[in-house]
């Protein structure tokens, strides 16, 4: 049951905006077109049913987790997998932008004075989630389950109460519905308009794939539990969508940026903005924020998969690489915030960008599953084929399964095409352009790694000649415990040490030379005059002079003493010479720069 | 003559605002008080004369450059020197803020439509100078001299033409002077008001010290040339100040934020906003920008002195430390811009902060000089005492010199006190609070270095035991040319090498182990399993386990192979493991982290 709570927020939260977004399009043909919202909802429930059957099969086939990326990779190949990855990436970004925008729309419905600040509230919410995720959240199932169950209970209570009122004839129309400028200039009710409304409604099914990604979080028997959860979730989602749409139509709710349809429905059923109304709005807002949060949780997981296959920086493979992980979280937040700002925190403006990525990943995933059943059908009974994401064994009835996923692929493909065509000018073009760009970036990274691998390959590798000479240059700023510690290190790794001191003050240089005679352990000290008060430049010149005359079997180590202070601020008082040298000598072969730390203690 | 051009812009540019700022105060007592501006200007010329005599002596005593910091340090001690440094620092910041604000006031006078944008124009100008200085300007004397000479010629032409008109009776009053809200609510003409006006006027002498800092830029005989230049500059400055004040009074110019007195004078003398008017405004604006630029040039020079004495981060001692230098330039720009924004680019608002720092440095410098003559007078003839900034020899007539500098010190001290008291509430309090804070920061840095020096001291230093064991841990991500290069390095610096591989994939780990058997040169390979997909953590655990059991005469080096890619973007695809380890193991004794680069080539 925890599984439902964790993975359902993304899917269930869409009921907060799907009905309204259908109505926004229908409103173009006038209020008389609103009754289409009910058959359209049934259409979406059919789509949801198809997806549920399809994903139920995925869950059993990929008990280790069957996201679109894995299914496409194992069954369709590299390019479809990368395409699915790009689609998912955009799905995550838009899940954040849409969910937060819808959440803020609910807040603004309850507190209309906040309307002018909605963009900033939305950005602030994204930043809040970002900070939480940067600090690292333990995905505690119980904490996550409270808002989900609260939302489910609140929504069912509202819908059932509303239906009771409807059947007893006591359901009133909305008092003071928001004003919209549609009534005049009515559009004819064309087939294309109905398709556009349907496209908007498909936002309702975004997020149903979440469970198939997270099967490993379920208790054993995993696939069975996950599959059942999927079916329960789909049932809740479908019934809520139908109920909300039916009630919204019957109370005469109007789609508007200033008050959401959910808010109109709640205040009509609860007869005003009382406690129940507030509870309903809070429940809706919170589950939308939770939905946005899932994108933050999924994002590093997908990145790790990509990185493991060499299509994103390798270091993303590992968790706990805080720096890299942080880059990802911050990028996701910044891009989502930019979208929110550009589209003024309007779900209606954002929705044309949303579902296309989702349906692209659906299509690739279902088509990959169909391909998998084909492969399964052509194995010998008893034969096993191990793939990266799952193990293939012959199964009876593979033909039926192929038909189910094949049909799912066809339907989602058609929906995607409808969406792309009807929403092209509204913003879908952005996603259609961005997808190939993202895929190209993935490939550019991949080719870099391939090129590196071939450079590093040990085929035809001639073991380089044994090192004949290992010289050490020890940089000396003064004669003290720090430099003597470094000297000890230098003497240990070779017998061929030269100490070098850069001076801008002849007097000080004499003092250092005298001290070095006592403490320098017989090591030669070279003093480099720096009349122009430069430090790194004379040192580099000296090193490069030596490097020029080095044989291929010679090696040079620059040993740099480094004070380590306790505090970050005090550390700034001590130059990091090694870092500077390393940057300058990066491309010089056979030079190693070694920093020997000297801890200053308290 | 180049010397004049380079060092005069700071001093001469003040004529652009000194007269107006005197008038701003006098205006409080009504237009009838404006005639006081003429005796006040004479007072300021007397002050200028005293300063010129005083600094002439400094120039001869410190042929290597005698800024307030050096003179105070050599003659008064550490605290006065640090105080002088803090005063100079604030002088630089305010020179930028005041000069740029005045420059923008000139622009806005010529193009009144720009008035609402004056703050942004000012900030943009500061940023422009910042960028120029970050990119590094060659201080070309000729380029610098053109604007200075242009300004001098334009100003003399204007003043002489104005005086001719005055004496022939053809000088008209200003047409359409800017409106100011003073005429009513007149203040009585009190002595305090006159003192306040005088305080504002002292801005005219800010910058006269510039030559004494930059003596080394003059041709031999340096001191003589520099001294003559100082006298010429003072003469120009004094005569221009008198001329401008006299003419401004006689045309009935009114001080205003919307049109500068300079602009009113120019358009009255040139009878409208013709070519000569424009040339005059351009000349004034450009010299003000040049004055701001000198602060950018002086700032790193002063920082280097401070740093050399251990009161600022040591690395500032060296030029060419671009990073540090850039921090300074950016800080100067940001603080000056903030002041401009806070004080709305108004010279009148900024002036109470300005002169107090300048006069504090004047006082310390003159008092230091007086002290120096005392020391000179008490040497035996023929005796020499070498100080950091100059060499002391007995001189006849030291008593007269002492009197001149002592008198200078007294006068500048009195002016500072008058300024501090009359301007306290107007903004001088900010500087009075900031000065001790800055001095405290300098001392905090100094004490850190002193503590470090005592920690590092070799007195009572027991040479640590000879190292008995030097272990190397080689991190291995895969078996390839990069890791073998690192292995070769590791084998060269010790015989005691252990290779370590962190794995998240048992299959890959087997492959690596097999390859290591072939290429690993007999070195032991430890495989660390990382079930949670962590990388650095298991490695750190392993290292810390070893470190715990290390003897004081044991040493551990972590050798990390590092790919070096050509581009900065591609380098991001390769983790910098050594940096991460170094950060984590910073405070562990006897551990050195060495990155062995492997250049990937084209
Ligand atoms: K969703
Ligand atoms: K959904
Ligand atoms: K989603
Ligand atoms: K000045
Ligand atoms: K001046
Ligand atoms: K100055």
């Amino acid at each position: 049951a925890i599984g439902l709570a964790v993975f359902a927020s993304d899917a269930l939260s869409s009921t907060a905006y799907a009905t309204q977004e259908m109505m926004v399009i229908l409103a173009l043909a006038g209020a008389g077109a609103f009754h289409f919202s009910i058959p359209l909802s049934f259409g979406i429930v059919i789509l949801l049913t198809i997806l549920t059957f399809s994903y139920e099969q995925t869950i059993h086939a990929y008990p280790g987790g069957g996201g679109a990326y894995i299914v496409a990779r194992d069954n369709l190949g590299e390019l479809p997998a990368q395409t699915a990855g790009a689609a998912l990436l955009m799905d995550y970004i838009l899940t954040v932008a849409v969910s937060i925008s819808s959440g803020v729309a609910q807040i603004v419905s309850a507190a209309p004075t906040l309307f002018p600040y909605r963009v900033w509230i939305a950005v602030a919410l994204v930043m809040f989630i970002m900070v939480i995720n940067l600090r690292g959240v333990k995905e505690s199932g119980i904490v996550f389950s409270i808002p989900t169950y609260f939302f489910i209970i609140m929504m069912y209570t509202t819908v059932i109460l509303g239906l009771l009122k409807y059947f007893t004839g006591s359901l009133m129309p909305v008092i003071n519905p928001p004003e919209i400028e549609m009534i005049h200039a009515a559009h004819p009710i064309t087939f294309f308009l109905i398709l556009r409304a349907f496209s908007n409604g498909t936002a309702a099914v975004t997020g149903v794939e979440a469970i198939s990604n997270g099967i490993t979080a379920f208790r054993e028997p995993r696939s069975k539990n996950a599959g059942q959860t999927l079916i329960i979730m789909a049932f809740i989602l479908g019934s809520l969508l139908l109920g909300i749409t039916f009630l919204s139509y019957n109370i005469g709710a109007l789609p508007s940026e200033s008050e959401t349809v959910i808010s109109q429905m709640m205040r009509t059923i609860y007869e005003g903005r009382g406690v129940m109304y507030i509870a309903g709005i809070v429940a809706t807002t919170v589950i939308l924020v939770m939905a946005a949060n899932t994108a933050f949780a999924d994002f590093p997981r997908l990145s790790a998969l990509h990185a493991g296959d060499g299509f994103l920086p390798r270091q993303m493979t590992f968790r706990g690489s805080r720096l890299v992980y942080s880059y990802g979280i911050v990028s996701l937040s910044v891009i989502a915030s930019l979208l929110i700002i550009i589209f003024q925190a309007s779900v209606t403006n954002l929705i044309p960008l949303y579902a296309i990525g989702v349906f692209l990943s659906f299509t690739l995933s279902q088509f990959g599953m169909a391909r998998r059943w084909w492969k399964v059908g052509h194995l010998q009974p008893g034969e096993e084929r191990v793939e990266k994401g799952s193990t293939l064994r012959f199964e009876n009835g593979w033909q039926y399964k192929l038909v189910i996923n094949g049909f799912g692929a066809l339907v989602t493909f058609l929906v995607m095409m409808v969406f792309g065509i009807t929403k092209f000018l509204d913003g879908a073009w952005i996603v259609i352009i961005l997808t190939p760009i993202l895929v190209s970036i993935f490939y550019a990274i991949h080719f870099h790694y391939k090129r590196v691998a071939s450079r590093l390959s040990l085929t035809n590798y001639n073991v380089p000649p044994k090192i004949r000479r290992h010289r050490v240059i020890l940089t000396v700023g003064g004669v003290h415990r720090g430099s003597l510690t470094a000297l000890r290190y230098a003497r240990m790794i070779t017998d061929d040490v030269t100490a070098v001191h850069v001076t801008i003050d002849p007097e000080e240089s004499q003092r250092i030379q005298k001290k070095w005679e006592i403490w320098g352990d017989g090591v030669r000290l070279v003093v480099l005059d720096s009349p122009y008060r430069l430090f790194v430049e004379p040192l580099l010149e000296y090193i490069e002079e030596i490097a020029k005359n080095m044989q291929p079997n010679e090696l040079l180590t620059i040993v740099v003493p480094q004070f380590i202070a306790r505090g970050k601020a005090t550390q700034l008082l001590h130059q990091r010479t090694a870092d500077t040298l390393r940057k300058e000598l990066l491309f010089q072969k056979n030079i190693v720069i070694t920093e020997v730390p000297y801890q200053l203690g308290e």
Side-chain angles (χ1 to χ4, degrees), chain A residues 31 50 87 113 150 171-172 188 206 235 247 257 283 288 309 315 323-324 353 418 484 521 538 583 592:
Chain A
I50 296 167
T113 47
F150 183 48
L171 188 67
M172 297 288 134
T206 59
F235 178 80
L247 290 167
E257 291 286 337
L288 283 162
D309 294 339
Q315 51 269 46
L323 192 71
V324 175
L353 282 73
V418 167
L484 294 188
D521 207 9
K583 210 179 275 171
V592 169

Side-chain angles (χ1 to χ4, degrees), chain A residues 3-15 17 95 99 144 147-148 151-152 206-207 210 233 286-295:
Chain A
L4 179 64
V6 173
F7 297 104
S9 65
D10 187 6
L12 295 183
S13 65
S14 332
T15 54
Y17 46 83
T95 296
S99 303
F144 273 55
T148 307
F151 175 77
I152 294 172
T206 59
M233 186 190 74
V286 171
I287 202 162
L288 283 162
V289 172
M290 303 287 296
N293 188 64
T294 58

Side-chain angles (χ1 to χ4, degrees), chain A residues 79-292:
Chain A
L79 183 61
Q82 295 313 313
T83 310
L88 287 171
L89 213 68
M90 281 181 302
D91 178 10
Y92 295 149
I93 293 166
L94 278 146
T95 296
V96 174
V98 167
S99 303
I100 292 297
S101 294
S102 178
V104 172
Q106 314 298 339
I107 294 173
V108 164
S109 300
T113 47
L114 295 177
F115 185 75
Y117 313 110
R118 63 198 186 284
V119 174
W120 299 115
I121 299 172
V123 171
L125 272 174
V126 174
M127 294 301 137
F128 172 73
I129 304 175
M130 179 185 84
V131 171
I132 297 275
N133 277 279
L134 282 180
R135 301 202 52 192
V137 263
K138 289 265 168 272
E139 277 186 38
S140 149
I142 292 149
V143 172
F144 273 55
S145 66
I146 295 169
T148 307
Y149 285 116
F150 183 48
F151 175 77
I152 294 172
I153 291 165
M154 275 309 303
M155 275 300 180
Y156 269 123
T157 310
T158 310
V159 167
I160 289 167
L161 183 63
L163 291 175
L164 279 176
K165 286 194 169 189
Y166 174 79
F167 287 113
T168 59
S170 63
L171 188 67
M172 297 288 134
V174 187
I175 297 162
N176 290 328
E179 283 178 41
I180 57 173
E181 345 74 62
M182 73 174 194
I183 314 303
H184 47 89
H187 221 264
I189 303 177
T190 57
F191 181 63
F192 190 72
L193 186 95
I194 302 293
L195 275 187
R196 282 174 67 194
F198 176 75
S199 297
N200 267 11
T202 57
V205 300
T206 59
V208 290
E209 78 291 353
I211 291 177
S212 68
N213 286 325
I215 306 166
T216 49
F218 285 84
R219 242 166 296 177
E220 289 286 4
R222 275 183 194 168
S223 289
K224 194 163 160 264
N225 284 331
Q228 282 174 356
T229 307
L230 173 66
I231 291 164
I232 295 167
M233 186 190 74
F235 178 80
I236 298 172
L237 175 60
S239 55
L240 283 183
L241 180 70
L242 287 175
I244 291 167
T245 307
F246 179 80
L247 290 167
S248 301
Y249 172 63
N250 281 292
I251 60 170
L254 295 178
S256 155
E257 291 286 337
S258 63
E259 187 182 4
T260 62
V261 165
I262 293 286
S263 167
Q264 295 173 51
M265 181 187 79
M266 294 254 179
R267 72 178 164 88
T268 303
I269 290 168
Y270 294 122
E271 291 166 16
R273 299 175 189 248
V275 176
M276 287 301 284
Y277 168 82
I278 298 293
I281 293 293
V282 168
T284 313
T285 306
V286 171
I287 202 162
L288 283 162
V289 172
M290 303 287 296

Side-chain angles (χ1 to χ4, degrees), chain A residues 2 70 72 84-85 107 116 156 178 184 186 230 238 278 299 393 424 444 453 520 599:
Chain A
I2 298 281
I70 292 173
I107 294 173
Y156 269 123
H184 47 89
L230 173 66
I278 298 293
F299 184 80
R393 285 182 206 80
F424 188 79
Q599 287 82 5

